[in-house]
Amino acid sequence: MRNYDLTPLYRSAIGFDRLAQLAEHAASNKGNSGYPPYNIELLNETRYRITMAVAGFTMDELDITSEGDKLLVKGTKAEQDKERKYLYQGIAERGFERTFQLADYVTVVGANLENGLLNIDLQREIPEAMKPRKIEIGTSRLIDSE
C-alpha cells in the first residue's frame, strides 16, 4: 500500500485540514476489514442508513457509540459454555469493531436489530446559519455635502 504525504495540502489549503485528515484516514484503512459486511443507503437528501449483517449477535452483544465525527459499532461475542465439534464452520463467531467517519452535522437518530441486520439511521441537520439565504440587493445614494 502506498503512503501519501499530504503535508503540502496542509500548507496551501486553509480550512481544509479536516478534509486532508479524512483522506489520510481513508488511505491508511485503520484495521477495518470486510467483516461484518455493510451497506450505506441514501434514503433522501438528509437521511442515511447503515445496514450491517450481524447474524448470530444479540442486542446485548452489540454496542453503538457516537462521539464527535466518529461512529463506532462494536460486537462482542459471549463465550460459549460447551465445546462444539464442527465438521465445517462457515459462520464467523468473532467480535468486531467498525468505525465510520461522519460528515459535519450528521447525527445518529436510531438503531434497530431485525432478522440479523443492524440498521443505524442517520440524519444531516444543517443549522439555519449554514443554509443558503438570498441576499437582497439595495441601492445607496451618495449624500452631497454642502
Side-chain angles (χ1 to χ4, degrees):
M1 174 186 248
R2 297 179 87 181
N3 288 330
Y4 297 98
D5 182 18
L6 299 176
T7 306
L9 182 60
Y10 287 124
R11 286 192 302 254
S12 62
I14 299 167
F16 289 96
D17 53 334
R18 186 172 172 332
L19 180 63
Q21 288 171 350
L22 287 173
E24 279 182 351
H25 177 72
S28 67
N29 192 17
K30 297 182 180 181
N32 274 347
S33 67
Y35 179 74
Y38 66 92
N39 294 334
I40 301 176
E41 278 181 86
L42 176 64
L43 301 176
N44 64 30
E45 286 183 9
T46 60
R47 292 184 52 231
Y48 306 89
R49 175 174 288 153
I50 299 171
T51 303
M52 299 180 73
V54 292
F57 283 86
T58 64
M59 282 193 279
D60 296 333
E61 297 171 329
L62 296 170
D63 185 46
I64 303 170
T65 307
S66 176
E67 184 177 340
D69 61 353
K70 293 199 184 336
L71 172 65
L72 175 66
V73 182
K74 190 175 185 179
T76 309
K77 284 300 288 178
E79 292 293 322
Q80 296 293 330
D81 292 336
K82 55 186 173 182
E83 187 71 28
R84 293 185 178 179
K85 293 183 181 181
Y86 291 102
L87 297 176
Y88 172 78
Q89 184 178 6
I91 299 173
E93 292 185 350
R94 64 182 186 268
F96 67 89
E97 197 170 293
R98 178 160 301 275
T99 304
F100 296 93
Q101 187 76 34
L102 300 178
D104 291 335
Y105 312 114
V106 173
T107 58
V108 178
V109 293
N112 66 28
L113 180 64
E114 184 178 349
N115 298 328
L117 297 175
L118 175 64
N119 294 308
I120 304 168
D121 292 322
L122 308 160
Q123 183 157 353
R124 183 178 58 206
E125 297 171 350
I126 300 174
E128 277 303 314
M130 300 298 290
K131 291 181 181 176
R133 61 187 175 99
K134 185 166 176 68
I135 307 297
E136 294 295 325
I137 301 172
T139 60
S140 64
R141 290 185 258 183
L142 294 175
I143 299 176
D144 295 319
S145 55
E146 295 179 22

